[in-house]
Amino acid sequence: MNRIIIHVLALVAATAVLGQELKSPPPAPYGPIPTSRQLQWHEMEYYGFVHFTVNTFTDKEWGYGDESEKVFNPTDFDADQIARTAKAGGMKGLILTCKHHDGFCLWPSKYTEHSVKNSPWKNGRGDMVREMSEACRKQGLKFGVYLSPWDRNRADYGTPAYITYYRNQLRELLTQYGEVFTVWLDGANGGDGFYGGARETRKIDNRTYYDWTNTWSIVRELMPMACMFSDVGPDFRWVGNERGIAGETCWATINVGEAVAGNAKSINLNQGERPGANWLPPECDVSIRPGWFYHATEDNQVKTPAQLLDIYYQSVGRGAALNLNLPPDRRGRIHENDVRSLKEFRRLLDATFAKDLAKGAKLTASNVRGSGAKSFAAANVLDHDRNTYWATDDGVTTPELILEFKKPVRFNIISLREFLPLGQRVEAFAVDVWQSGGWQEFARGTSIGNLRLVRAKFVTTDKVRLRITQAPVCPAIAEFGLFAEPEMLEAPEITRDRKGLISISASSPANAIRYTLDGTEPGLKSPLFASPIDLPQGGVVKARQFSAQQSKGAVATRTFGVSKAGWKIVSKNNDRILRSNPVNAIDDNPNSVWRCRFDGDGQTSFKVIDINLGQTMSLTGFTYQPPADGQADGIVDKYEFYVSADGVNWGAPAAAGEFSNIKANPIQQFVALPKPVTCRFIRFVPVHLVAGDQVAVAELGVTIK
Ligand code: FUL
């Protein structure tokens, strides 16, 4: 009897809810909407890359494809340490470079000999893809695969046979290693390579050669919930740079049109497009170090926790996903410096987002859909559930929501999320705070999408107002939060002037700066910075601020080559130098750029930049820094480097080669000479440019023994 009553009551309740829902159905979706696999991917927000291959042992960013399998020999590979580091850093998954452009496979593929099976690692019996996938699962991380389409090792690259090879490998990866959350399909292709000994340049038509539609269908068949990356999807897109930064306005939608991977110039990858025909949200990929692969020379250039936070706010905080690369070193472990930085980054994130100050606020919405229907109530924005949302009646596109607090709250971050199954709806919003009896604008923005974090100056208030200021349809807001970052002193700025003197500047004169020159972290016992430091041989400078209360700030690190104080440009070919001053190339200021005419391929004897170093030195390497203005024009990607005792006799190049991946990642390039050379003059010869007809040099430098 009782059971019947309960059933009847349940039925009555259900009908009431249904009745209310029928009166106020959910808003109709707007524009393109995400698939269920994209929704799953959106929830990840932050995961990592693991770049590991022969490059780790040859100190390259792009292997040529002719590397012997014998060079691949990690001395202490530890998949668990890598996965643990990622987990401790807050990541939700890891994507391994199972095969990079050099073609070397980290698993014993049955389709090639160019793999771990012919390496000394575990006497050829190891399988790194297996170890990494298992270590990820142990840590509760999802596992993803990077399988480079460009293969500089294969003799058949460029022919249909290679496509069959590629697809066979993809099948191996998707059938032998359990669940895969992402398949990362890179668009890079620099043309030349080993190609089974042909050593030539092979141009493929990236619109047709790979026949992507049929490769994608393999992924859909074998791993239906895996999301695929390329410049243009099909599931998520590249953000257009390798700095990890999405546009301030960043739409999940875009018009793919005719664009293909490696050929997506026609569309705005960084900001997306609105209106856009495709739901294709961005992933921000960036390395924790300057390069994608481990180089010991970059041990002091690991991004600081503060830099990682800036990236987080400009990627995850703009609706994109963050894919942060952790490159294992030659042991096969994540280096201590990277572990330390990542851990502190995670601590700062947790300290910020563990407590939502909006919780408990009294809410007043200017409108709630269906005369206040519970399923669309404003309270849904505070429940930390991305599947419930506040929505307004159709036609109410610019509503307001007021949060009132019993006790004032102090915060500097707001967070907003839309209910993605209904599409990206909001085009602009603002947040006001109640100050001295009136509303004052605290922040404003455009796109929201998966997440929008606005980081501003701290404010204390007892009333906050969210205003949706532009939307073509009624909004559907899943979350609204208020957070406070732990206060942290910024890293000081370290600069070196033309005379070679190093200065360190504090953000406030009340703070003390302490520094080290031996690569260790500055502490309270480290020397105080009082006057410019002379560092003629170059080296590593680390510095941080201490407040009057002795609380310590973020560490700044800069690595300097030999001081350029006594250097002179002695190129005779001034007729070829365009208006900018050649000194810009040796003034230690990467923001000033020397541009001069370039005569193109084959003109390798053309002296572009000759420099008198002012004294005889024993050089171990040189550096070339391209401009960081985001323009490909003028960036050198093939070079020759000469040395001379007298500036007259030069001989054969001391080094020649490519600056690989410099187009997508225009960072300072370091070239180690095969053996140290004694000289007083150096000559840098650009042999090929990424684009344009003017060479651009932000800085040239040298390293010595
Ligand atoms: C690029 C590649 O060329 C780089 O080497 C790196 O793998 C990066 C993530 O993608 O396109």
Side-chain angles (χ1 to χ4, degrees), residues 645-664:
D646 54 10
V648 181
N649 302 301
W650 293 90
E658 69 176 11
F659 295 132
S660 40
N661 200 32
I662 195 168
K663 182 177 175 196

Side-chain angles (χ1 to χ4, degrees), residues 488-613:
M488 192 177 62
L489 290 177
E490 303 161 29
E493 210 194 339
I494 308 174
T495 51
R496 183 165 76 176
D497 67 13
R498 183 73 186 96
K499 295 203 190 85
L501 294 178
I502 291 167
S503 298
I504 314 176
S505 53
S507 56
S508 146
N511 298 334
I513 294 177
R514 293 184 183 271
Y515 69 96
T516 63
L517 299 176
D518 60 2
T520 59
E521 284 229 339
L524 272 170
K525 295 206 176 105
S526 307
L528 266 177
F529 174 77
S531 57
I533 313 163
D534 198 6
L535 205 60
Q537 313 288 304
V540 182
V541 183
K542 283 184 185 266
R544 68 168 15 142
Q545 309 192 60
F546 285 87
S547 69
Q549 298 75 36
Q550 311 279 26
S551 76
K552 57 185 184 190
V555 178
T557 305
R558 270 202 71 181
T559 306
F560 295 100
V562 172
S563 158
K564 303 172 196 171
W567 292 19
K568 279 200 183 71
I569 303 270
V570 291
S571 310
K572 297 281 179 323
N573 47 314
N574 285 338
D575 55 318
R576 295 177 191 274
I577 296 171
L578 295 186
R579 260 139 284 153
S580 77
N581 189 346
V583 167
N584 290 349
I586 55 168
D587 63 357
D588 252 329
N589 175 6
N591 298 321
S592 68
V593 179
W594 179 28
R595 292 181 194 275
C596 74
R597 205 173 85 212
F598 175 66
D599 282 359
D601 280 329
Q603 300 285 326
T604 53
S605 61
F606 166 52
K607 291 182 272 181
V608 175
I609 306 165
D610 288 356
I611 298 168
N612 180 345
L613 303 174

Side-chain angles (χ1 to χ4, degrees), residues 90 278 318 348 369 417 575 685:
N278 311 90
R318 291 177 177 176
L348 292 170
R369 191 173 183 83
R417 195 191 290 286
D575 55 318
V685 180

